Amino acid sequence: MSSTTAGQVIRCKAAVAWEAGKPLVIEEVEVAPPQAMEVRLKILFTSLCHTDVYFWEAKGQTPLFPRIFGHEAGGIVESVGEGVTDLKPGDHVLPVFTGECKECRHCKSEESNMCDLLRINTDRGVMLNDGKSRFSINGQPIYHFVGTSTFSEYTVLHVGSVAKINPAAPLDKVCVLSCGISTGLGATLNVAKPKKGSTVAVFGLGAVGLAAAEGARIAGASRIIGVDLNAKRFDEAIVILAKKFGVTEFVNPKDHDKPVHEVLAEMTNGGVDRSIECTGSINAMISAFECVHDGWGVAVLVGVPNKDDAFKTHPMNLLNERTIKGTFFGNYKPRSDLPSVVEKYMNKELELEKFITHEVSFSEINKAFEYMLRGEGLRCIIRMDA
């Protein structure tokens, strides 16, 4: 593969966002060769995450257009830049919106995955190496998104944001591990760490929340209580789907005349053992913390709040030995840990098929946005070769 294209500009199709909130346009773009410590990938499958939609709508941040979105994907290494030694053409990989340089204090710590060099940056639309984009149309630069830009047949990433995986793993399934599914799964398995037989509450039953529930199921939780304000989440079809992830009970706070943490405390003889908050709502964060049992309860915050949000709780909630934690990408180090998550799928410990509710061709990518904007399903796989 690399013998004919390495070191050359590649012309390929990409879905370009020219303006905020406007349908993506399939364009022919030029993708420059990878520079030092960069890798050029051929993307085979990608999926749509809510983060793509949020920034496409230009909510809450400085708009940066034209841009190529996309950050959940699976692909194959086409060529590598100078200094890249642990990847070669033909390797099967997952591109990741954050990274692991393996040299900073965070990367060397067993407790952190927040790489100093490659931590997510939603404002940067260029490569770190030279401050330039690798995408262009007739000489006009097209900006990158979170260092991945997987809505393109070819893309260029820093080597630290590329996880090499088992080549036998089906990329149309494991591509969803690049972001949301790993975030929810890791929040439970790596941070909340529920014991077998414990009770877990999950706030928010979208893809990330159901991934957190999947983690609780894998850990052997006896009760998994799904909490959501959206009445649509309690439609029969969604309930059936959620039960596949191990959710045993459902609570809509709107159905009760008392705070939801009190409802959960009554249901569980004083509080749940673990809670995972996956909405970004301040009220959900407070409830997730206050619903855990005193003495041993742990609440884990996953959802990203608005930048000016703040919440308060009484200090006695902490003094009574409740613990609150935060997590980023499920505390997974992309290069070191994602290969083992893929192996969980290969060993049938982790089920990914149930997260995938739609599939479209690349030319139909705007349908994926429509599904998400309507709140339909969980993940939509986009086939790049169709």
Side-chain angles (χ1 to χ4, degrees), residues 188 192-200 216 219-222 273-274 296:
T188 303
K193 298 179 180 178
K195 296 177 181 177
K196 189 173 183 179
S198 60
T199 301
V200 177
S222 61
D273 301 307
R274 300 289 187 267
W296 61 79

Side-chain angles (χ1 to χ4, degrees), residues 46-47 49 51-56 61 64 67-73 95-99 117-128 135 143-151 155-158 160-162 178-179 328 334:
T46 187
S47 61
C49 171
T51 303
D52 295 307
V53 176
Y54 182 82
F55 284 92
W56 166 71
Q61 88 287 344
L64 189 62
R67 203 170 203 182
I68 297 172
F69 287 100
H71 63 284
E72 284 189 354
V96 188
F97 66 93
T98 183
L117 179 67
L118 299 169
R119 191 179 306 185
I120 185 173
N121 185 324
T122 57
D123 292 329
R124 187 173 59 233
V126 294
M127 299 299 290
L128 283 171
F135 299 108
Y143 293 112
H144 295 249
F145 177 64
V146 294
T148 52
S149 293
T150 62
F151 293 166
T155 187
V156 178
L157 290 86
H158 189 285
S161 296
V162 181
S178 283
C179 180
F328 171 70

Side-chain angles (χ1 to χ4, degrees), residues 146-369:
V146 294
T148 52
S149 293
T150 62
F151 293 166
S152 175
E153 292 176 324
Y154 288 86
T155 187
V156 178
L157 290 86
H158 189 285
V159 65
S161 296
V162 181
K164 180 181 177 180
I165 64 167
N166 184 343
L171 291 173
D172 61 332
K173 304 296 189 296
V174 298
C175 65
V176 300
L177 292 173
S178 283
C179 180
I181 310 309
S182 294
T183 295
L185 184 74
T188 303
L189 294 178
N190 299 335
V191 187
K193 298 179 180 178
K195 296 177 181 177
K196 189 173 183 179
S198 60
T199 301
V200 177
V202 176
F203 287 73
L205 296 178
V208 176
L210 290 175
E214 176 77 352
R217 182 192 68 79
I218 291 171
S222 61
R223 296 174 71 186
I224 303 173
I225 305 170
V227 183
D228 205 299
L229 285 169
N230 186 349
K232 285 185 177 180
R233 301 288 190 205
F234 302 98
D235 290 345
E236 183 179 1
I238 301 298
V239 168
I240 292 172
L241 179 64
K243 286 181 176 179
K244 292 181 180 179
F245 295 89
V247 180
T248 57
E249 297 149 81
F250 300 84
V251 173
N252 186 339
K254 292 179 180 178
D255 294 340
H256 301 271
D257 57 5
K258 63 179 69 174
V260 70
H261 72 273
E262 293 182 11
V263 174
L264 293 169
E266 290 179 3
M267 291 173 62
T268 57
N269 192 27
V272 299
D273 301 307
R274 300 289 187 267
S275 71
I276 300 98
E277 186 286 318
C278 303
T279 72
S281 158
I282 292 302
N283 290 332
M285 292 179 182
I286 296 169
S287 297
F289 175 50
E290 296 183 350
C291 80
V292 299
H293 206 290
D294 58 2
W296 61 79
V298 177
V300 178
L301 306 185
V302 180
V304 179
N306 294 322
K307 65 177 183 177
D308 296 324
D309 281 344
F311 69 83
K312 64 179 181 179
T313 188
H314 198 284
M316 286 306 299
N317 288 320
L318 291 161
L319 296 174
N320 285 336
E321 299 183 0
R322 294 179 179 89
T323 300
I324 186 168
K325 294 183 174 184
T327 179
F328 171 70
F329 193 48
N331 276 41
Y332 286 120
K333 293 178 184 284
R335 298 162 80 184
S336 299
D337 297 335
L338 273 192
S340 65
V341 182
V342 170
E343 291 309 308
K344 282 184 182 292
Y345 169 75
M346 297 297 285
N347 296 333
K348 302 189 185 308
E349 298 172 52
L350 169 64
E351 300 172 17
L352 294 178
E353 285 82 359
K354 57 195 177 186
F355 288 100
I356 300 167
T357 52
H358 297 87
E359 185 174 311
V360 298
S361 65
F362 189 33
S363 62
E364 300 174 311
I365 190 170
N366 288 302
K367 281 188 178 179
F369 281 75

Side-chain angles (χ1 to χ4, degrees), residues 70-100:
H71 63 284
E72 284 189 354
I76 298 175
V77 175
E78 175 270 335
S79 60
V80 302
E82 180 185 347
V84 176
T85 58
D86 54 352
L87 288 172
K88 64 183 185 304
D91 284 343
H92 286 221
V93 295
L94 299 181
V96 188
F97 66 93
T98 183
E100 182 185 356

Side-chain angles (χ1 to χ4, degrees), residues 4-21:
T4 57
T5 55
Q8 300 178 23
V9 171
I10 289 179
R11 290 177 174 81
C12 69
K13 291 180 181 177
V16 178
W18 290 100
E19 296 180 62

